[in-house]
Amino acid sequence: RMGPGPWLKAVGMLGIKIPGGVEPDDFDYFHEMLTHLEFARLGRPGFIDSLGAGWGISAPAVFHFCNDQVRQTVGTQLLKGDKWSALAISEPFAGSDVAALRATAEKTPDGKHYVVNGIKKWITEGAYADYFVTAVRTGKTGTPKDMSMLLVERGPGVETKQIKTTYSTCCGTAMVI
């Protein structure tokens, strides 16, 4: 989850108020726990997941591992709620077994971009996410060093299909192709 961190300074600069009058510098994991407890009181886990579960597990990667430019553009869009993100790791063939992932990413000849190939499945909020924090293989050694996380923007070449589950349809569980 997000927890305390440098992203909270952006919250203050954007004029976003933390409930309860908590100042960004005072927000800690205790406050985050209280937030989760209050959401849980709604008693509707599928609905609660539609309110930001995918965002809550993908946005930390943007704030902790992306460069300043991405944090300032994408991070700001995520904090303001202008855009949504989802964590895309699970695959139809591997499930949540990260070591068995088949999705690949290869650099273009100019070395400036990646071409990503593969399918992700059971992605919470994937049906309406604008960005996907995506686990892929970028090497061919067969070791964990082959794994990378890429931020993939929804656009040409990225397709999503909502999956109907017994859990809940409102949380936008999807296949990402």
Side-chain angles (χ1 to χ4, degrees):
R1 299 292 187 201
M2 291 295 285
W7 67 276
L8 281 168
K9 297 210 185 306
V11 167
M13 289 187 286
L14 292 170
I16 298 170
K17 303 287 184 198
I18 298 173
V22 178
E23 293 297 322
D25 288 338
D26 296 330
F27 187 88
D28 58 18
Y29 288 108
F30 176 75
H31 294 99
E32 183 173 351
M33 178 196 67
L34 291 176
T35 302
H36 292 291
L37 289 173
E38 289 302 308
F39 273 123
R41 289 179 60 195
L42 293 172
R44 301 288 183 258
F47 174 72
I48 294 165
D49 282 352
S50 75
L51 298 176
W55 182 95
I57 59 176
S58 60
V62 172
F63 289 101
H64 292 293
F65 304 114
C66 287
N67 64 37
D68 286 338
Q69 179 187 358
V70 173
R71 280 195 294 265
Q72 290 170 358
T73 55
V74 174
T76 297
Q77 293 170 338
L78 296 177
L79 286 174
K80 291 173 67 178
D82 294 337
K83 300 279 184 170
W84 287 76
S85 61
L87 185 65
I89 295 179
S90 300
E91 294 184 355
F93 310 105
S96 296
D97 180 5
V98 177
L101 294 181
R102 295 184 183 179
T104 61
E106 294 185 22
K107 281 197 173 185
T108 56
D110 64 7
K112 293 182 180 180
H113 305 281
Y114 282 95
V115 175
V116 178
N117 288 295
I119 300 172
K120 299 296 179 176
K121 192 171 182 184
W122 304 291
I123 307 306
T124 303
E125 293 183 348
Y128 41 80
D130 300 290
Y131 297 100
F132 302 91
V133 175
T134 309
V136 295
R137 290 194 175 277
T138 51
K140 298 180 190 217
T141 66
T143 67
K145 291 182 181 182
D146 292 347
M147 305 302 284
S148 298
M149 293 293 284
L150 298 178
L151 182 63
V152 177
E153 185 174 9
R154 180 187 290 271
V158 177
E159 182 181 338
T160 60
K161 294 181 181 180
Q162 186 162 358
I163 301 170
K164 291 195 177 196
T165 66
T166 57
Y167 177 60
S168 174
T169 56
C170 65
C171 61
T173 302
M175 184 173 326
V176 182
I177 304 167

